Amino acid sequence: MEELLYAIGISAVAVSAMTGVLEAGRKPIDLFGVVLVALTSALGGGTVRDLLLDRRVFWLEDPTYLFAAIGAGLAAVALVRMVRLPKNLFLIPDALGLALFTVLGTHIALMLDVHWFAATLLGVVTGVVGGVLRDMLCNEVPLVFSGELYGTAAWSGTLVYAALLGAGVADSGAALVAMTVVFGLRMAAVQWRITLPTFVAR
Amino acid sequence: MEELLYAIGISAVAVSAMTGVLEAGRKPIDLFGVVLVALTSALGGGTVRDLLLDRRVFWLEDPTYLFAAIGAGLAAVALVRMVRLPKNLFLIPDALGLALFTVLGTHIALMLDVHWFAATLLGVVTGVVGGVLRDMLCNEVPLVFSGELYGTAAWSGTLVYAALLGAGVADSGAALVAMTVVFGLRMAAVQWRITLPTFVAR
Amino acid sequence: MEELLYAIGISAVAVSAMTGVLEAGRKPIDLFGVVLVALTSALGGGTVRDLLLDRRVFWLEDPTYLFAAIGAGLAAVALVRMVRLPKNLFLIPDALGLALFTVLGTHIALMLDVHWFAATLLGVVTGVVGGVLRDMLCNEVPLVFSGELYGTAAWSGTLVYAALLGAGVADSGAALVAMTVVFGLRMAAVQWRITLPTFVAR
């Protein structure tokens, strides 16, 4: 179980780094900038979570995450220069990354005796903040605000996770269901363009 | 005294969440985004203060702040949809929030033996950073930079606070005077459009 | 040696504060905003480094840095109002600041037993983040992304630093060589407009 979680975490970091490269690639940014955006995108959410929890930052604890992010980022750079990728190709692993980061973040917060509701928020932070920082660096209104269900998908999943744990379901089972909820909601939102109502004050 | 400070802190958080909703409402942002901006606006300043002071983040220590921010944010959403609020309605509680956050932040820093000058800056951070993050998320030049006296009002108040404490005045008295200074300067600045000279390099 | 490092650190903070004033001066920002941008520019990189390393923030540990930043910022305000400065005047001390911050940041991380590769990144963070935050506050695409070699110069220098230390070179010698690499690369990049290839995804 632990080893599986570890492999999942590494994969999520790599995938997020790749999405950072795709985003940065639309701007007049040089190669170093691309690497910086990739690292921010991949490690930002978990870093903010660890700072808030006063926990040693995960990629300083274990630099494997760092290498995974840089390797995946450079691979994405090479890939994008060689073949024209369909934009949608990354939506599936991105949704997977969101699901993994969110539930993992909630799990870590709960292990540190954080109130369950705050823990669900820290899970959302883990899943979402990397992308928000990425978009802020690129000087855009963060995608999480204007696109199809994203943060909402993440939060729904973590609330399901907390509810299942509260009902006595085993951790691995609850995590699996919660990840499925996040991934399923996000994929459905992309497929059928489901959005929350946009809120504009009069 | 402690209970009064607690009630004041909760109120300031609630008010700041509402100002976040008003700001986010001018952008094409969905409901989840509005909640996120409300939370950032309400909790951002205190969170950065606690990180800098290497102190447990206040809304993880006591989730009541979290519930106050979310409740107030949702109430603001409902309110804005029902009635057309005059924009100025929120200026008074916002100035109150600035006064409370700023003096409270300085107080906390001084209790942790921070140099008095650094403590006044941490107070300003507590009062101002939530709004700065809110404006950065919404991709605008932070209001604190271009509007009527804001950060200056906060800093003046904390300097008065530190000076009174240095002169031997009791904490509660000094805090009251300092909050009055912040609130009064900010209200006067709004009323008579007082600004610091805008600085433009040639 | 220690005293020299300290003097270097103070100078770097002062210089970075001045560059912040120059940047902020191009925007319609009031005097308080200028001070805020100067402080962010001067202290931002080291602050993020200390937060990531779970170390007491350097300007709370020793407020001299704070006074240096504010003093230099105000001096820059006065200077800019009196004489028309050539824009290039600040490029040399800015490059010096980048060199000093970057190597100093790597040095501190290595002393705390961080993996050498992560330490080089923390050095880059120390050197670069202040400017990134400054540009984000001023709502511009961070200069580090679009200009001549900047982050790349810093990273090259820290990698040389780590390699020399790994080869058994004494710390002061390795630091001197590394700072020269950062400073030289950055100056050469400015002089001959050397850029990394801009990466734009097709």
Side-chain angles (χ1 to χ4, degrees):
Chain A
M1 182 66 189
E2 277 305 302
E3 278 164 26
L4 184 65
L5 272 182
Y6 188 70
I8 284 173
I10 297 281
S11 314
V13 161
V15 166
S16 301
M18 287 180 162
T19 65
V21 169
L22 285 193
E23 172 77 14
R26 281 186 239 145
K27 300 271 169 176
I29 286 177
D30 72 22
L31 273 172
F32 176 79
V34 169
V35 170
L36 200 61
V37 174
L39 285 176
T40 305
S41 177
L43 308 175
T47 301
V48 172
R49 175 202 62 211
D50 290 345
L51 289 178
L52 291 173
L53 287 172
D54 204 7
R55 196 172 162 263
R56 195 163 156 80
V57 175
F58 70 108
W59 53 271
L60 287 177
E61 187 71 30
D62 177 1
T64 311
Y65 292 101
L66 209 51
F67 298 131
I70 289 187
L74 293 178
V77 167
L79 205 66
V80 165
R81 305 207 135 220
M82 285 189 302
V83 295
R84 184 182 182 81
L85 298 172
K87 230 180 158 181
N88 293 351
L89 186 67
F90 278 78
L91 284 177
I92 295 174
D94 177 68
L96 204 58
L98 180 68
L100 302 173
F101 272 145
T102 304
V103 176
L104 206 65
T106 309
H107 176 76
I108 289 170
L110 287 173
M111 305 255 288
L112 293 168
D113 288 327
V114 167
H115 185 279
W116 69 267
F117 185 75
T120 64
L121 275 181
L122 282 170
V124 176
V125 163
T126 311
V128 163
V129 162
V132 170
L133 289 174
R134 176 194 66 201
D135 296 342
M136 283 167 73
L137 278 176
C138 295
N139 208 19
E140 297 196 345
V141 173
L143 208 82
V144 62
F145 288 166
S146 52
E148 293 94 8
L149 295 189
Y150 199 91
T152 311
W155 205 356
S156 307
T158 59
L159 289 173
V160 166
Y161 181 56
L164 289 177
L165 289 181
V169 176
D171 197 353
S172 57
L176 205 69
V177 172
M179 286 180 193
T180 309
V181 169
V182 178
F183 183 76
L185 274 179
R186 174 66 185 145
M187 283 286 97
V190 168
Q191 182 66 39
W192 295 295
R193 301 200 162 274
I194 303 170
T195 56
L196 279 187
T198 295
F199 164 79
V200 178
R202 277 165 298 177
Chain B
M1 180 68 187
E2 276 305 303
E3 277 164 26
L4 183 66
L5 271 182
Y6 187 71
I8 284 173
I10 296 280
S11 314
V13 161
V15 166
S16 301
M18 287 179 162
T19 66
V21 169
L22 285 193
E23 172 78 14
R26 282 186 238 144
K27 299 271 170 176
I29 284 178
D30 71 22
L31 272 171
F32 176 81
V34 170
V35 169
L36 200 61
V37 173
L39 285 176
T40 305
S41 178
L43 309 175
T47 301
V48 171
R49 176 202 62 212
D50 291 345
L51 290 178
L52 290 174
L53 288 172
D54 205 8
R55 195 170 162 265
R56 196 164 156 79
V57 176
F58 70 106
W59 52 271
L60 286 177
E61 188 71 30
D62 177 0
T64 312
Y65 292 101
L66 209 52
F67 298 130
I70 289 187
L74 293 179
V77 168
L79 206 65
V80 165
R81 304 205 137 222
M82 284 189 303
V83 294
R84 185 181 182 83
L85 297 172
K87 232 179 156 182
N88 294 350
L89 186 66
F90 279 79
L91 284 177
I92 296 173
D94 177 67
L96 204 57
L98 180 68
L100 302 172
F101 273 145
T102 303
V103 176
L104 206 64
T106 308
H107 176 78
I108 289 171
L110 287 174
M111 305 254 290
L112 293 168
D113 288 327
V114 167
H115 185 279
W116 69 266
F117 185 75
T120 63
L121 275 180
L122 283 171
V124 176
V125 163
T126 311
V128 162
V129 162
V132 170
L133 289 175
R134 175 195 65 201
D135 295 342
M136 282 167 73
L137 279 176
C138 295
N139 207 20
E140 298 195 345
V141 174
L143 208 82
V144 63
F145 288 166
S146 51
E148 293 91 9
L149 295 190
Y150 199 90
T152 311
W155 204 357
S156 307
T158 59
L159 288 173
V160 166
Y161 181 55
L164 289 177
L165 289 182
V169 176
D171 197 353
S172 56
L176 205 69
V177 172
M179 286 181 193
T180 309
V181 169
V182 178
F183 183 75
L185 274 180
R186 174 66 186 145
M187 283 287 96
V190 168
Q191 183 66 38
W192 295 295
R193 300 200 161 276
I194 304 169
T195 56
L196 278 188
T198 296
F199 163 78
V200 178
R202 278 164 298 178
Chain C
M1 180 69 189
E2 276 304 303
E3 278 164 26
L4 184 66
L5 273 181
Y6 187 69
I8 285 173
I10 297 280
S11 314
V13 161
V15 166
S16 301
M18 287 179 162
T19 66
V21 169
L22 285 194
E23 172 78 15
R26 282 186 239 144
K27 299 272 170 175
I29 285 178
D30 71 22
L31 272 171
F32 176 80
V34 169
V35 170
L36 200 61
V37 173
L39 285 176
T40 305
S41 178
L43 309 175
T47 302
V48 171
R49 175 202 63 211
D50 290 346
L51 289 178
L52 290 174
L53 287 172
D54 204 8
R55 195 171 162 264
R56 196 163 156 81
V57 175
F58 70 106
W59 53 272
L60 287 177
E61 187 71 30
D62 177 0
T64 311
Y65 293 102
L66 209 52
F67 297 131
I70 290 187
L74 293 178
V77 168
L79 205 66
V80 165
R81 305 206 136 220
M82 285 189 301
V83 294
R84 185 182 182 80
L85 298 172
K87 229 181 161 183
N88 293 352
L89 185 67
F90 279 79
L91 284 177
I92 296 173
D94 177 67
L96 204 58
L98 180 68
L100 302 172
F101 273 145
T102 303
V103 176
L104 206 66
T106 309
H107 175 77
I108 290 171
L110 287 174
M111 304 254 290
L112 294 168
D113 288 327
V114 166
H115 184 279
W116 69 266
F117 186 74
T120 64
L121 276 180
L122 283 170
V124 176
V125 163
T126 311
V128 162
V129 162
V132 170
L133 290 174
R134 175 195 66 200
D135 296 342
M136 283 167 73
L137 279 176
C138 295
N139 207 19
E140 297 196 345
V141 173
L143 210 80
V144 63
F145 288 165
S146 51
E148 293 93 9
L149 294 190
Y150 199 92
T152 311
W155 205 357
S156 307
T158 59
L159 289 174
V160 166
Y161 181 55
L164 289 177
L165 290 181
V169 175
D171 197 353
S172 57
L176 204 69
V177 172
M179 286 179 194
T180 309
V181 169
V182 177
F183 182 75
L185 274 180
R186 174 66 185 144
M187 283 288 94
V190 167
Q191 183 65 40
W192 296 295
R193 301 201 160 276
I194 303 170
T195 56
L196 278 188
T198 295
F199 163 79
V200 178
R202 278 164 297 176

